[in-house]
Amino acid sequence: GDSVTQMEGPVTLSEEAFLTINCTYTATGYPSLFWYVQYPGEGLQLLLKATKADDKGSNKGFEATYRKETTSFHLEKGSVQVSDSAVYFCALPPLDDYKLSFGAGTTVTVRA
Amino acid sequence: SQTIHQWPATLVQPVGSPLSLECTVEGTSNPNLYWYRQAAGRGLQLLFYSVGIGQISSEVPQNLSASRPQDRQFILSSKKLLLSDSGFYLCAWSGLAGPSYEQYFGPGTRLTVT
């Protein structure tokens, strides 16, 4: 079935460092791909999405490009801040189902 | 715009007591609704989803149940809580299922079973 595999971490960085979180997927067809972010004690928020191959989603300085040839959707940010400390989830909606497939989540801690 | 509410925000309950968590969505009609649980330091586990009033699909066998008495109301219940029911419970909604429709999450309920 459709699924995502995500780098699990935890990841600890210094402020202004470069962040990348790997996400690869297995899917029939070409679904949309999402990155969600969960700040401490909160629910998940949609961070960015891409709806077709070669699309780049971006938000809050984060970017991810939908790569069909490598079945990947890696999340990147060039200069992280302490406020980026959160858990990040990659997700994929199956074409014929109501459920999102989530990755295991990557905990990111940014130190000042 | 659409909003999703969950209550209570936090709950501490003894083992064996009943549970009722409520989720409501505003600003949309006939949403798909979902209950997830997130154990400490773990990922998301889908518990139930509903595509309409009275229609509930269960993903994992357990002592929890869900109901959808109204279009935009989703309730998670238990008759007798277990210690293993502790966790962060998240409700979510989506428009149409398929390749482009993302889910939107509520603020969550932190449940501690003592």
Side-chain angles (χ1 to χ4, degrees), chain A residues 10-68:
Chain A
V11 176
T12 303
L13 303 165
S14 297
E15 229 173 1
E16 300 184 2
F18 182 85
L19 170 67
T20 185
I21 303 174
N22 291 339
C23 172
T24 57
Y25 66 91
T26 302
T28 52
Y30 304 103
S32 296
L33 293 167
F34 306 123
W35 276 102
Y36 283 84
V37 59
Q38 184 180 30
Y39 299 106
E42 298 183 9
L44 277 69
Q45 302 175 25
L46 181 66
L47 179 59
L48 54 84
K49 70 176 183 179
T51 57
K52 61 183 186 295
D54 299 325
D55 259 4
K56 177 185 285 186
S58 61
N59 187 25
K60 298 182 179 181
F62 289 89
E63 293 183 341
T65 301
Y66 189 153
R67 304 276 188 206
K68 187 174 67 174

Side-chain angles (χ1 to χ4, degrees), chain B residues 39-105:
Chain B
R42 305 287 293 274
L44 293 166
Q45 179 186 32
L46 179 64
L47 302 175
F48 301 95
Y49 69 94
S50 171
V51 301
I53 296 174
Q55 301 179 63
I56 308 294
S57 296
S58 174
E59 288 296 295
V60 291
Q62 56 203 329
N63 69 320
L64 299 172
S65 62
S67 62
R68 185 170 177 173
Q70 300 180 45
D71 181 44
R72 290 169 289 177
Q73 184 184 31
F74 205 24
I75 296 172
L76 183 70
S77 303
S78 174
K79 293 182 179 178
K80 289 186 177 182
L81 284 168
L82 307 172
L83 284 174
S84 57
D85 291 323
S86 293
F88 193 47
Y89 287 81
L90 291 160
C91 182
W93 73 273
S94 69
L96 299 174
S100 300
Y101 290 90
E102 58 266 33
Q103 292 179 14
Y104 299 93
F105 286 78

